[in-house]
């Protein structure tokens, strides 16, 4: 998608054997890239959220394995790199999925062939992610078209939480891809953007993306969604996911569950957009089984942003000395999800339809 009119991706390999990423801790204030040259750089980029969003975390881990294979392709070194990458963030299952996939490819090869194979597999995963997100966009745009037809005039109002746009993937995004495809189809859309405390991925990243793409949007505080939905100001909610169980429960950024509750109370359809790499087929109960990341309390007690002089800084907002807890994700039970939009189409959030759609 576009930054300053230029098609841009979130991650790409360089001709000299490194990887570059857009540094998402600097957006929207600065467009800066960071060069990853070894597996520790990849681990740090994921843990510090220079890259974030489930699909992008997975692709970054895959490129991390390619960097690791370039440094030392022996079994023990690769196992250690894989363990360090796997521990970098716990909730998005795309990370484990990507490491498992690249691990399977490398295990079958002699060490001398592993580096080239890892680069090729990581690149294939990046391209597949782009294709899956584009397909999600097509299927999701049908939902927006249906909402437009139901309304019979005026923009379709979509509410989204966090950032599940192209910055959370390699390109296109999941929850925002339907909006980009709807724009291509000439459907008028307005997006309510939840600011998404504590790290403000909505206010900083989703708003940046939509602004660069020329899509009408309004940032609201996280607690505004219920009010907007009660007053008929939201036609549908679309969010991403970090892990979807085989039964259709979906973990996503903290606060997603509350939006789903409000949507149910007001009769607003609530969609989860996610590629199959986000489905954890081994789990059946999201609330009980999905690990929820707890991050540094500083993200709650402080805000990161741009000061009047243009410098980037943390600013304390909380009373000094108070404890703070930082649960990064929550789980929306399948019963609150109208449908899941995948690269293979729209599917009910329950075990049998999911199994059938993905031939499991
Ligand atoms: O903590 P983050 O910014 O990695 O959380 C991101 C989200 O919760 C996204 O909604 C999710 O990963 C889906 S990304 C297409």
């Amino acid at each position: 998608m576009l930054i300053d009119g230029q098609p841009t991706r979130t991650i790409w390999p360089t001709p000299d054997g490194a990887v570059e990423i857009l540094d998402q801790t600097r957006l929207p204030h600065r467009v800066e890239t960071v060069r990853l040259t070894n597996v520790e750089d990849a681990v740090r980029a994921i843990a510090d959220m220079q890259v974030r969003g489930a699909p992008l975390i997975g692709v970054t881990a895959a490129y991390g394995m390619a960097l690791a294979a370039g440094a030392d392709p022996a079994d023990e070194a690769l196992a250690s790199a894989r363990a360090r990458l796997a521990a970098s963030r716990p909730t998005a299952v795309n990370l484990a999925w990507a490491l498992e996939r690249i691990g399977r490819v490398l295990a079958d090869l002699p060490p001398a062939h592993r580096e080239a194979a890892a680069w090729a597999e990581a690149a294939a995963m990046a391209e597949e992610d782009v294709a899956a997100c584009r397909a999600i966009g097509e299927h999701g745009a049908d939902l927006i078209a249906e909402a437009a037809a139901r309304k019979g005039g005026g923009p379709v109002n979509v509410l989204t939480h966090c950032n599940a746009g192209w910055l959370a993937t390699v390109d296109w995004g999941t929850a925002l891809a339907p909006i980009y495809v709807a724009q291509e189809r000439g459907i008028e859309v307005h997006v309510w953007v939840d600011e998404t405390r504590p790290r403000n991925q909505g206010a900083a990243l989703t708003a940046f993306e939509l602004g660069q793409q020329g899509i009408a949007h309004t940032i609201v505080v996280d607690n505004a969604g219920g009010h907007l939905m009660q007053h008929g100001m939201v036609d549908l909610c679309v969010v991403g996911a970090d892990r979807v169980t085989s039964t259709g429960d979906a973990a996503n950024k903290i606060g997603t569950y509350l939006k789903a509750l409000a949507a149910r109370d007001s009769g607003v359809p609530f969609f989860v957009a996610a590629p199959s790499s986000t489905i954890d087929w081994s789990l059946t109960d999201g609330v009980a089984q999905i690990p929820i990341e707890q991050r540094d309390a500083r993200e709650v007690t402080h805000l990161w942003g741009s000061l009047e002089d243009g410098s980037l800084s943390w600013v304390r907002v909380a009373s000094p000395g108070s404890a703070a807890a930082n649960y990064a994700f929550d789980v929306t039970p399948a019963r609150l999800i109208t449908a899941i939009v995948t690269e293979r189409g729209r599917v009910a959030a329950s075990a049998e339809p999911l199994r059938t759609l993905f031939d499991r």
Side-chain angles (χ1 to χ4, degrees):
M1 305 300 287
L2 302 178
I3 293 184
D4 294 334
Q6 295 302 313
T8 310
R9 286 187 171 184
T10 53
I11 188 165
W12 58 93
T14 64
D16 61 349
V19 175
E20 281 183 0
I21 55 168
L22 268 181
D23 185 349
Q24 301 196 24
T25 62
R26 315 295 276 180
L27 290 172
H29 315 291
R30 298 190 189 150
V31 178
E32 288 178 5
T33 58
V34 170
R35 194 173 148 84
L36 314 180
T37 58
N38 56 49
V39 69
E40 281 318 317
D41 288 347
V43 170
R44 202 174 320 109
I46 297 170
D48 294 349
M49 294 175 64
Q50 289 176 314
V51 289
R52 26 71 50 202
L56 179 56
I57 289 171
V59 171
T60 306
Y63 276 120
M65 287 301 289
L67 293 169
D72 184 350
D75 287 346
E76 315 76 61
L78 289 180
S80 158
R82 181 172 167 172
R84 279 176 286 152
L85 285 162
S88 58
R89 286 194 80 189
T91 301
V93 77
N94 306 61
L95 177 60
W97 170 87
L99 291 171
E100 163 70 28
R101 176 168 156 177
I102 212 150
R104 238 182 295 121
V105 170
L106 300 189
D108 291 341
L109 293 172
H113 293 172
R114 286 177 175 165
E115 183 188 2
W119 283 108
E121 192 66 11
M125 287 160 79
E127 292 310 320
E128 285 170 31
D129 185 62
V130 175
C133 288
R134 173 70 207 193
I136 288 171
E138 295 289 345
H139 298 302
D142 294 343
L143 295 171
I144 296 176
E146 287 162 22
R150 272 196 307 275
K151 271 188 101 156
V156 176
N157 287 297
V158 179
L159 182 139
T160 192
H161 192 68
C162 194
N163 173 263
W166 72 269
L167 291 170
T169 65
V170 178
D171 206 352
W172 287 103
T174 59
L176 298 191
I179 291 162
Y180 297 137
V181 175
Q183 181 188 43
E184 283 180 0
R185 294 188 195 171
I187 303 169
E188 203 187 341
V189 179
H190 165 262
V191 186
W192 294 110
V193 178
D194 282 353
E195 63 175 348
T196 318
R197 279 285 286 146
R199 288 186 68 108
N200 293 305
Q201 289 96 329
L205 304 177
T206 298
F208 173 77
E209 272 195 50
L210 294 172
Q212 292 285 334
Q213 224 59 39
I215 290 177
H217 62 281
T218 307
I219 300 166
V220 287
V221 297
D222 288 327
N223 294 327
H227 170 78
L228 297 174
M229 290 189 238
Q230 276 178 330
H231 289 270
M233 296 158 81
V234 179
D235 297 304
L236 65 156
C237 299
V238 188
V239 300
D242 289 83
R243 195 182 295 226
V244 174
T245 65
S246 64
T247 49
D249 299 336
N252 192 49
K253 182 54 53 191
I254 191 79
T256 302
Y257 170 46
L258 293 178
K259 293 298 138 59
L261 285 171
R264 174 56 54 92
D265 190 50
S266 293
V268 173
F270 188 91
F271 296 101
V272 169
S276 52
S277 53
T278 301
I279 302 174
D280 185 339
W281 296 100
S282 71
L283 302 187
T284 53
D285 180 341
V287 174
Q289 296 173 317
I290 296 178
I292 299 296
E293 177 181 17
Q294 289 187 56
R295 296 184 59 83
D296 193 334
R298 184 180 169 83
E299 294 178 353
V300 175
T301 56
H302 291 64
L303 282 169
W304 170 251
S306 172
L307 302 179
E308 290 297 325
D309 66 2
S311 61
L312 300 183
S313 177
W314 287 99
V315 175
R316 172 176 271 282
V317 287
S319 175
S322 294
N326 189 3
Y327 294 92
F329 300 94
D330 60 23
V331 174
T332 300
R335 65 176 183 279
L336 298 176
I337 298 170
T338 309
I340 300 174
V341 186
T342 75
E343 69 270 31
R344 292 201 184 179
R346 189 187 320 179
V347 61
S350 70
E352 195 49 45
L354 275 166
R355 252 202 311 273
T356 306
L357 185 66
F358 288 100
D359 308 317
R360 300 291 293 203

